[in-house]
Amino acid sequence: MTGYAVATSESAAGTLTIEIKSVNSRFLDLQFRINDDLRALEPDLRSAIMGAITRGKVELRLSFGRKAAAAGTQKLNEALLNELVRLQGEVSQHFSGAAQMSVAELLRWPGVVEEAQIGQESLQADVSALMTKTLAAFVQSRQREGAALEAMLISRIESMEGIVKRITPLIPQVVAQFQQKAVERMQEALGLACQGSNTAMSRQDAMERIRQEVILYGIRIDVAEELGRLSAHLGETRHILKKGGQVGKRLDFMMQELNREANTLGAKASVKELADASMELKLLIEQMREQVQNLE
């Protein structure tokens, strides 16, 4: 699911900002954008996220804006300064006309001016506290979206239950009508075959054969069992959503089961009403499946 949260806090050394955002993904994919001087904190941040969520492409940004150095907190790196003076002397021996570095240039040289070291333990504690706050807001944002997705899924379940309820009374009627038509057609065909054959078949034997064939075919087109399983799967899907928690993988499985029954219904459909119902069911299942893949 998508989610977003950002929080800022002031520490003794500067301003900390943590931003977390995610987009839909079937798996957990973590990306970090962290200042180099805070890179050592990444394992702790990773563990915190993995302990809170299991799906989504998540990006975390941790930035640290240092406060302006106070008086007396800066000093010269004398070792580096001496090295620069030595190197400048060697350059002058080769290029006598080379200009000498100014004081301003020396002070701007990376590492010449050092700031007082920030207490790593104190900074880590500040980041941990801010991460707890940001992650809680992030999880809440995903929960709000999850509630909206749940409402959508429930509406699809209700639509599918309505389809099953609509077509279930048709099944006995469809089977009976088909059997009646099949009997008539087979009687006609068998009668013509017997007329052109030297071997006469008794009427009783012919009717028994017709009865057996029609019953067998009636069993093959009877979808009452599939509708029963559809209703059971829909009830279980509703139960999973109501129970909550990490439902993504369980709902993935239920979508497979629902789709299997809808396909079987379509394959066995002997009238237009059942074929149409199968298509409606598969469309609703596909809509649910796309969203289920985003749920934890």
Side-chain angles (χ1 to χ4, degrees), residues 182-255:
V183 167
E184 294 173 357
R185 290 174 182 174
M186 292 185 70
Q187 283 179 333
E188 181 181 354
L190 195 57
L192 292 174
C194 290
Q195 290 177 8
S197 173
N198 295 327
T199 303
M201 178 183 292
S202 69
R203 179 175 178 79
Q204 183 177 357
D205 291 340
M207 291 303 298
E208 179 61 22
R209 180 177 173 183
I210 291 172
R211 187 185 68 83
Q212 292 175 356
E213 292 295 330
V214 169
I215 289 175
L216 288 175
Y217 196 77
I219 292 173
R220 289 199 294 271
I221 68 168
D222 189 353
V223 294
E225 185 176 346
E226 284 72 18
L227 294 180
R229 285 196 294 266
L230 268 171
S231 295
H233 294 334
L234 290 171
E236 179 62 18
T237 303
R238 187 187 288 272
H239 171 73
I240 292 172
L241 287 170
K242 183 178 180 180
K243 185 177 180 180
Q246 295 184 357
V247 301
K249 292 183 178 180
R250 286 179 290 167
L251 289 176
D252 271 341
F253 174 74
M254 294 310 303
M255 294 306 103

Side-chain angles (χ1 to χ4, degrees), residues 160-179:
M160 294 173 68
E161 288 173 338
I163 293 171
V164 172
K165 184 178 180 180
R166 185 184 77 223
I167 64 176
T168 296
L170 299 177
I171 304 307
Q173 180 183 353
V174 168
V175 173
Q177 289 177 349
F178 184 83
Q179 287 179 340

Side-chain angles (χ1 to χ4, degrees), residues 7-18 38 41 44-45 62-64 67 118-134:
T8 301
S9 68
E10 297 291 335
S11 68
T15 302
L16 287 167
T17 301
I18 295 180
L38 299 178
L41 302 179
D44 292 338
L45 300 175
L62 170 59
S63 59
F64 177 48
K67 289 183 177 180
I118 301 172
Q120 189 66 19
E121 292 185 2
S122 174
L123 185 59
Q124 184 172 356
D126 291 338
V127 171
S128 178
L130 184 61
M131 180 61 178
T132 299
K133 176 182 177 180
T134 312

Side-chain angles (χ1 to χ4, degrees), residues 59-79:
E59 179 180 311
L60 181 145
R61 292 179 180 270
L62 170 59
S63 59
F64 177 48
R66 295 177 182 271
K67 289 183 177 180
T73 62
Q74 295 179 311
K75 63 178 183 178
L76 292 175
N77 184 337
E78 294 186 6

Side-chain angles (χ1 to χ4, degrees), residues 15-158:
T15 302
L16 287 167
T17 301
I18 295 180
E19 179 185 29
I20 308 175
K21 56 184 178 181
S22 70
V23 294
N24 296 330
S25 176
R26 294 186 63 185
F27 308 100
L28 183 60
D29 180 11
L30 302 181
Q31 297 181 356
F32 293 88
R33 304 286 186 269
I34 304 177
N35 289 11
D36 289 339
D37 50 354
L38 299 178
R39 182 63 63 179
L41 302 179
E42 180 178 326
D44 292 338
L45 300 175
R46 182 180 297 271
S47 297
I49 293 177
M50 294 178 65
I53 63 176
T54 59
R55 276 184 173 183
K57 184 176 182 180
V58 182
E59 179 180 311
L60 181 145
R61 292 179 180 270
L62 170 59
S63 59
F64 177 48
R66 295 177 182 271
K67 289 183 177 180
T73 62
Q74 295 179 311
K75 63 178 183 178
L76 292 175
N77 184 337
E78 294 186 6
L80 177 57
L81 191 59
N82 291 333
E83 182 66 12
L84 290 174
V85 171
R86 184 185 68 78
L87 291 173
Q88 183 172 254
E90 291 184 4
V91 170
S92 297
Q93 292 177 6
H94 294 283
F95 304 97
S96 58
Q100 299 292 310
M101 294 180 67
S102 67
V103 173
E105 290 173 333
L106 286 171
L107 292 176
R108 286 198 299 269
W109 192 273
V112 169
V113 178
E114 295 180 326
E115 295 184 9
Q117 293 296 317
I118 301 172
Q120 189 66 19
E121 292 185 2
S122 174
L123 185 59
Q124 184 172 356
D126 291 338
V127 171
S128 178
L130 184 61
M131 180 61 178
T132 299
K133 176 182 177 180
T134 312
L135 190 57
F138 175 71
V139 170
Q140 288 176 1
S141 72
R142 285 165 60 91
Q143 288 175 342
R144 288 191 295 271
E145 183 183 352
L149 287 176
E150 179 184 0
M152 186 279 290
L153 293 173
I154 290 295
S155 72
R156 300 303 186 274
I157 291 174
E158 291 174 349

